[in-house]
Amino acid sequence: MKRTLAAVASAAALALALAGCSSGDSSSDASGGLSGQPVTIGVQAPMEGATAYPQTGYGAQAAERYINEKLGGINGRPVKIQLCAGDGSPETAVNCANQFVQSNVAAVFDAYDASIGAAVPVLTSAKIPIIGELGGQATADALPWGQAFYFTGPLETSALGMVTILDKIGKKNASLAVTDSPASHGYVDKLVMPAARNLGMNVSPLYAPGSNMNFAVLAATELSSNPDVAGIIAMTEDGCTGLFKALRQQGYQGSLFAGSCSQFIADMKQQAAGAIIQPRVWVPASKPNAPAEVQKQLDDFAAAMEEIDRGDQQSARSLYSFAGMVNLATVLKGIQGDITPESITDAMKKVKDMPTFAGPPVTCDGQQWANRPSSCSHQAIFFEVQPDSSLKPVDPNGFIDLDPSKMSAA
């Protein structure tokens, strides 16, 4: 059920917003001894609900501590995050946005929250820029240049990247599961299927419940179409592991497509070999095959997650938040004078060929992806799981260029 903006902004909604957002007490502990007025960044992360990814919030918390303790904050000022836990509902997303506006945050970091679209009217009206490593839906992606920025590209990067790499390795018939939600149906219908048709692929989506999944039935249903690649479009880490184990238990030895999932590798060990994963950045398991500077960055990420007692939650999603927050801090360090929503917007517009944390160089000129001015990149990276559980880039160059024209029907 949808509510009007006026209703959501009522006193009851504000109370929910206050309940959903972090009080910031943990931020004082993460200040690294820095003095001065904190630079407050709102963080919206999908930490609750049926499609929760709590790792997104943990990555932002680790980044807060890392930026302050290891990078000296923002020119000596501490970063302070105001973490709001999304639950997938538009009501909660708007509540988070209202609280960010009331708290005068300098920017809002989208920690891969698929419901951020509902928050867009509130944030854009307040002229607060939305910044993220990647978006979980297309509303913010399509905003006019300057209202949103995503370092690793728009939502289309995931859809086009998936079919591009499967086509590249000769897979033409894919049966892939995705958590059942309105956002998932929109993503598949508007992005995945057009890209697949443009590349001559057949993708059969299988919509799975967000909870109480019967992985044996899910696996059997996928295999009933005799695909040459099985796996997922998007699911939680636990969902990926459960489904992949069921596929192997039912005798499937073919290729697995794992999307952004990565925690299944440690659990499945050699049975995970051959799976293709599609993160937006170099991830921890790729460290043996990563450039030296990226290896150092991945070590820093691991240490930061340990610092907040979340060392067991190192995944692509926690790294997205961590990397994106560090990238944002890099931009903020270059601002001379007051750090405001306006000065952050201006600084983001000027980003050109900026090296990013475990990612590609980015340029936020609004020209990297047709009809998606928020995008700072049109590159992608893919890995194949090795028998020793490490990840090796499918392309020896690591990041490759995608062809946005293949999304012409989107």
Side-chain angles (χ1 to χ4, degrees):
M1 179 179 68
K2 295 183 178 179
R3 302 181 184 178
T4 65
L5 183 59
V8 176
S10 67
L14 181 59
L16 285 173
L18 290 168
C21 292
S22 165
S23 65
D25 292 341
S26 64
S27 295
S28 61
D29 296 334
S31 67
L34 299 175
S35 60
Q37 185 69 23
V39 178
T40 303
I41 305 296
V43 176
Q44 183 167 328
M47 300 185 71
E48 299 178 354
T51 56
Y53 296 95
Q55 302 92 343
T56 58
Y58 304 151
Q61 291 171 327
E64 177 190 36
R65 182 181 293 271
Y66 175 76
I67 291 165
N68 292 332
E69 293 187 351
K70 304 299 183 183
L71 302 183
I74 308 302
N75 302 326
R77 295 172 58 186
V79 164
K80 178 180 179 181
I81 68 169
Q82 181 172 310
L83 180 61
C84 198
D87 61 7
S89 72
E91 292 85 358
T92 297
V94 175
N95 292 338
C96 289
N98 284 330
Q99 180 62 16
F100 293 148
V101 172
Q102 191 173 63
S103 299
N104 294 315
V105 301
V108 167
F109 184 81
D110 172 14
Y112 203 12
D113 193 318
S115 65
I116 192 73
V120 163
V122 177
L123 298 176
T124 55
S125 294
K127 297 184 178 180
I128 296 174
I130 302 166
I131 300 166
E133 188 74 356
L134 71 165
Q137 52 74 60
T139 303
D141 284 337
L143 287 172
W145 183 50
Q147 294 185 4
F149 303 90
Y150 287 96
F151 291 113
T152 66
L155 187 62
E156 283 89 342
T157 302
S158 296
L160 180 58
M162 178 182 73
V163 295
T164 296
I165 196 61
L166 292 180
D167 178 66
K168 185 173 182 177
I169 62 176
K171 307 300 180 182
K172 291 295 186 180
N173 182 31
S175 182
L176 305 169
V178 60
T179 304
D180 193 5
S181 71
S184 295
H185 283 269
Y187 176 71
V188 171
D189 293 343
K190 296 179 181 179
L191 301 182
V192 172
M193 302 310 285
R197 286 193 295 269
N198 286 340
L199 288 170
M201 288 189 60
N202 175 44
V203 175
S204 300
L206 178 62
Y207 293 95
S211 59
N212 299 318
M213 278 183 268
N214 186 320
F215 295 117
V217 171
L218 196 60
T221 305
E222 280 201 2
L223 297 179
S224 66
S225 64
N226 193 30
D228 53 16
V229 60
I232 63 101
I233 293 174
M235 291 181 73
T236 64
E237 290 284 356
D238 288 345
C240 289
T241 302
L243 174 58
F244 298 163
K245 282 185 173 181
L247 285 166
R248 293 300 195 220
Q249 288 167 358
Q250 293 185 29
Y252 177 72
Q253 297 301 317
S255 296
L256 292 170
F257 184 77
S260 290
C261 286
S262 61
Q263 292 183 353
F264 72 95
I265 300 170
D267 199 329
M268 294 178 63
K269 298 181 173 59
Q270 287 191 337
Q271 284 195 320
I276 302 295
I277 74 167
Q278 181 193 348
R280 294 295 187 92
V281 296
W282 293 89
V283 290
S286 70
K287 180 183 169 183
N289 296 302
E293 64 272 19
V294 174
Q295 292 183 4
K296 172 63 167 59
Q297 291 172 332
L298 294 175
D299 284 340
D300 287 347
F301 167 62
M305 292 293 285
E306 292 289 351
E307 282 289 320
I308 64 165
D309 296 323
R310 298 292 184 182
D312 62 339
Q313 296 296 318
Q314 295 180 56
S315 69
R317 289 180 182 268
S318 55
L319 181 54
Y320 293 156
S321 295
F322 185 90
M325 285 290 296
V326 172
N327 294 337
L328 175 56
T330 299
V331 176
L332 298 185
K333 284 173 177 286
I335 295 176
Q336 301 298 317
D338 293 339
I339 296 178
T340 64
E342 293 76 15
S343 65
I344 292 175
T345 298
D346 184 60
M348 287 297 304
K349 285 183 174 182
K350 294 176 180 176
V351 168
K352 182 177 175 60
D353 298 327
M354 184 183 86
T356 59
F357 192 99
V362 300
T363 296
C364 301
D365 60 359
Q367 303 298 313
Q368 299 304 303
W369 197 292
N371 302 317
R372 294 295 181 261
S374 70
S375 175
C376 297
S377 173
H378 56 265
Q379 293 190 308
I381 193 167
F382 312 92
F383 298 97
E384 182 177 4
V385 180
Q386 302 300 298
D388 65 355
S389 296
S390 68
L391 298 178
K392 184 177 181 180
V394 174
D395 189 287
N397 294 319
F399 286 92
I400 64 170
D401 290 329
L402 297 179
D403 181 2
S405 70
K406 297 300 182 182
M407 296 299 304
S408 58

